[in-house]
CSV table of all heavy atoms in Angstrom, one decimal:
chain,number,residue,atom,x,y,z
A,229,GLN,N,101.0,-31.7,-99.6
A,229,GLN,CA,101.3,-32.9,-98.7
A,229,GLN,C,101.1,-32.4,-97.2
A,229,GLN,O,100.7,-33.2,-96.4
A,229,GLN,CB,102.8,-33.3,-98.9
A,229,GLN,CG,103.8,-32.2,-98.7
A,229,GLN,CD,105.2,-32.5,-99.1
A,229,GLN,OE1,105.7,-33.6,-98.6
A,229,GLN,NE2,105.8,-31.8,-99.9
A,238,TYR,N,105.7,-39.3,-91.6
A,238,TYR,CA,106.5,-40.1,-92.6
A,238,TYR,C,107.3,-39.1,-93.5
A,238,TYR,O,108.1,-39.6,-94.2
A,238,TYR,CB,105.6,-41.0,-93.4
A,238,TYR,CG,104.8,-41.9,-92.6
A,238,TYR,CD1,103.4,-41.7,-92.3
A,238,TYR,CD2,105.4,-43.1,-92.1
A,238,TYR,CE1,102.7,-42.6,-91.5
A,238,TYR,CE2,104.6,-44.0,-91.3
A,238,TYR,CZ,103.3,-43.7,-91.0
A,238,TYR,OH,102.6,-44.6,-90.3
A,239,LEU,N,107.0,-37.9,-93.4
A,239,LEU,CA,107.6,-37.0,-94.4
A,239,LEU,C,109.1,-36.9,-94.4
A,239,LEU,O,109.7,-36.6,-95.5
A,239,LEU,CB,107.0,-35.5,-94.2
A,239,LEU,CG,105.5,-35.4,-94.6
A,239,LEU,CD1,105.0,-34.0,-94.3
A,239,LEU,CD2,105.3,-35.7,-96.1
A,241,GLY,N,111.1,-39.3,-94.0
A,241,GLY,CA,111.7,-40.6,-94.4
A,241,GLY,C,111.9,-40.9,-95.9
A,241,GLY,O,112.5,-41.9,-96.3
A,242,CYS,N,111.5,-39.9,-96.7
A,242,CYS,CA,111.7,-40.1,-98.2
A,242,CYS,C,113.2,-40.0,-98.6
A,242,CYS,O,113.9,-39.3,-98.0
A,242,CYS,CB,110.8,-39.2,-99.0
A,242,CYS,SG,109.1,-39.4,-98.6
A,243,LYS,N,113.5,-40.8,-99.6
A,243,LYS,CA,114.9,-40.8,-100.1
A,243,LYS,C,115.3,-39.5,-100.6
A,243,LYS,O,116.4,-39.0,-100.4
A,243,LYS,CB,115.0,-41.9,-101.2
A,243,LYS,CG,116.4,-42.1,-101.7
A,243,LYS,CD,116.5,-43.3,-102.6
A,243,LYS,CE,117.9,-43.5,-103.2
A,243,LYS,NZ,117.9,-44.4,-104.4
A,244,PHE,N,114.4,-38.8,-101.4
A,244,PHE,CA,114.8,-37.6,-102.1
A,244,PHE,C,114.2,-36.4,-101.3
A,244,PHE,O,113.0,-36.4,-101.0
A,244,PHE,CB,114.3,-37.5,-103.5
A,244,PHE,CG,115.0,-38.6,-104.4
A,244,PHE,CD1,114.3,-39.7,-104.8
A,244,PHE,CD2,116.3,-38.4,-104.8
A,244,PHE,CE1,114.9,-40.7,-105.5
A,244,PHE,CE2,116.9,-39.4,-105.5
A,244,PHE,CZ,116.2,-40.5,-105.9
A,246,GLY,N,112.5,-33.0,-101.3
A,246,GLY,CA,111.5,-32.4,-102.3
A,246,GLY,C,110.7,-33.5,-102.9
A,246,GLY,O,110.0,-33.3,-103.9
A,247,CYS,N,110.7,-34.7,-102.3
A,247,CYS,CA,109.8,-35.8,-102.8
A,247,CYS,C,108.3,-35.4,-102.7
A,247,CYS,O,107.9,-34.8,-101.7
A,247,CYS,CB,110.0,-37.1,-101.9
A,247,CYS,SG,109.0,-38.5,-102.4
A,248,LEU,N,107.6,-35.6,-103.8
A,248,LEU,CA,106.2,-35.2,-103.9
A,248,LEU,C,105.4,-36.5,-103.6
A,248,LEU,O,104.1,-36.4,-103.7
A,248,LEU,CB,105.8,-34.6,-105.2
A,248,LEU,CG,106.3,-33.1,-105.4
A,248,LEU,CD1,105.9,-32.7,-106.8
A,248,LEU,CD2,105.8,-32.2,-104.4
A,249,HIS,N,106.0,-37.6,-103.3
A,249,HIS,CA,105.3,-38.8,-102.9
A,249,HIS,C,104.4,-39.3,-104.1
A,249,HIS,O,103.2,-39.6,-103.9
A,249,HIS,CB,104.5,-38.6,-101.7
A,249,HIS,CG,105.1,-37.7,-100.7
A,249,HIS,ND1,106.4,-37.9,-100.2
A,249,HIS,CD2,104.7,-36.5,-100.2
A,249,HIS,CE1,106.7,-36.9,-99.4
A,249,HIS,NE2,105.7,-36.0,-99.4
A,250,TYR,N,105.0,-39.2,-105.3
A,250,TYR,CA,104.2,-39.4,-106.5
A,250,TYR,C,104.8,-40.6,-107.3
A,250,TYR,O,104.5,-41.7,-107.1
A,250,TYR,CB,104.2,-38.1,-107.3
A,250,TYR,CG,103.4,-38.1,-108.5
A,250,TYR,CD1,102.1,-38.7,-108.7
A,250,TYR,CD2,103.8,-37.3,-109.6
A,250,TYR,CE1,101.4,-38.7,-109.8
A,250,TYR,CE2,103.1,-37.3,-110.8
A,250,TYR,CZ,101.9,-37.9,-110.9
A,250,TYR,OH,101.2,-37.9,-112.1
A,252,GLU,N,108.3,-40.8,-107.3
A,252,GLU,CA,109.7,-41.0,-106.9
A,252,GLU,C,109.9,-42.4,-106.2
A,252,GLU,O,109.0,-42.9,-105.5
A,252,GLU,CB,110.0,-39.9,-105.8
A,252,GLU,CG,109.9,-38.5,-106.3
A,252,GLU,CD,108.5,-37.9,-106.1
A,252,GLU,OE1,107.5,-38.7,-106.0
A,252,GLU,OE2,108.4,-36.7,-106.1
A,253,PRO,N,111.1,-42.9,-106.4
A,253,PRO,CA,111.4,-44.2,-105.6
A,253,PRO,C,111.8,-43.9,-104.2
A,253,PRO,O,112.1,-42.7,-103.9
A,253,PRO,CB,112.6,-44.7,-106.4
A,253,PRO,CG,113.2,-43.5,-107.0
A,253,PRO,CD,112.2,-42.5,-107.3
A,254,GLY,N,111.7,-44.9,-103.3
A,254,GLY,CA,112.2,-44.7,-102.0
A,254,GLY,C,111.3,-43.7,-101.2
A,254,GLY,O,111.8,-43.0,-100.3
A,255,CYS,N,110.0,-43.7,-101.5
A,255,CYS,CA,109.1,-42.8,-100.9
A,255,CYS,C,108.4,-43.4,-99.6
A,255,CYS,O,107.8,-44.4,-99.7
A,255,CYS,CB,108.0,-42.3,-101.8
A,255,CYS,SG,106.7,-41.4,-101.1
A,256,SER,N,108.6,-42.8,-98.5
A,256,SER,CA,108.1,-43.4,-97.3
A,256,SER,C,106.6,-43.2,-97.1
A,256,SER,O,105.9,-43.9,-96.3
A,256,SER,CB,108.9,-42.9,-96.0
A,256,SER,OG,108.3,-41.7,-95.5
A,257,ILE,N,106.0,-42.3,-97.8
A,257,ILE,CA,104.6,-42.1,-97.8
A,257,ILE,C,103.9,-43.3,-98.6
A,257,ILE,O,103.0,-44.0,-98.1
A,257,ILE,CB,104.1,-40.8,-98.5
A,257,ILE,CG1,104.6,-39.6,-97.7
A,257,ILE,CG2,102.6,-40.7,-98.6
A,257,ILE,CD1,104.0,-39.4,-96.4
A,258,LYS,N,104.5,-43.6,-99.7
A,258,LYS,CA,103.9,-44.7,-100.5
A,258,LYS,C,104.1,-46.0,-99.8
A,258,LYS,O,103.3,-46.9,-99.8
A,258,LYS,CB,104.6,-44.7,-101.9
A,258,LYS,CG,104.0,-43.7,-102.9
A,258,LYS,CD,104.5,-43.9,-104.3
A,258,LYS,CE,105.9,-43.5,-104.5
A,258,LYS,NZ,106.3,-43.6,-105.9
A,259,ASN,N,105.2,-46.1,-99.1
A,259,ASN,CA,105.5,-47.2,-98.3
A,259,ASN,C,104.5,-47.4,-97.1
A,259,ASN,O,104.0,-48.5,-96.9
A,259,ASN,CB,106.9,-47.1,-97.7
A,259,ASN,CG,107.5,-48.4,-97.3
A,259,ASN,OD1,107.3,-49.4,-98.0
A,259,ASN,ND2,108.2,-48.4,-96.1
A,271,TYR,N,95.3,-41.4,-100.0
A,271,TYR,CA,96.5,-41.2,-100.8
A,271,TYR,C,96.1,-41.0,-102.3
A,271,TYR,O,96.7,-40.1,-102.9
A,271,TYR,CB,97.5,-42.4,-100.6
A,271,TYR,CG,98.7,-42.3,-101.6
A,271,TYR,CD1,99.7,-41.3,-101.4
A,271,TYR,CD2,98.7,-43.1,-102.7
A,271,TYR,CE1,100.7,-41.2,-102.2
A,271,TYR,CE2,99.8,-42.9,-103.6
A,271,TYR,CZ,100.8,-42.0,-103.3
A,271,TYR,OH,101.8,-41.9,-104.2
A,274,TYR,N,95.1,-37.6,-102.8
A,274,TYR,CA,96.3,-36.8,-102.8
A,274,TYR,C,96.9,-36.8,-104.2
A,274,TYR,O,97.2,-35.7,-104.8
A,274,TYR,CB,97.3,-37.3,-101.8
A,274,TYR,CG,98.7,-36.6,-102.0
A,274,TYR,CD1,98.9,-35.3,-101.5
A,274,TYR,CD2,99.7,-37.3,-102.7
A,274,TYR,CE1,100.2,-34.7,-101.7
A,274,TYR,CE2,100.9,-36.7,-102.8
A,274,TYR,CZ,101.2,-35.4,-102.3
A,274,TYR,OH,102.4,-34.8,-102.5
B,3,ZN,ZN1,107.9,-39.3,-100.6
Side-chain angles (χ1 to χ4, degrees):
Q229 57 189 308
Y238 303 101
L239 287 177
C242 298
K243 185 171 173 197
F244 295 105
C247 184
L248 287 178
H249 328 300
Y250 182 39
E252 300 92 336
C255 172
S256 90
I257 298 291
K258 282 192 284 183
N259 202 39
Y271 175 72
Y274 169 78

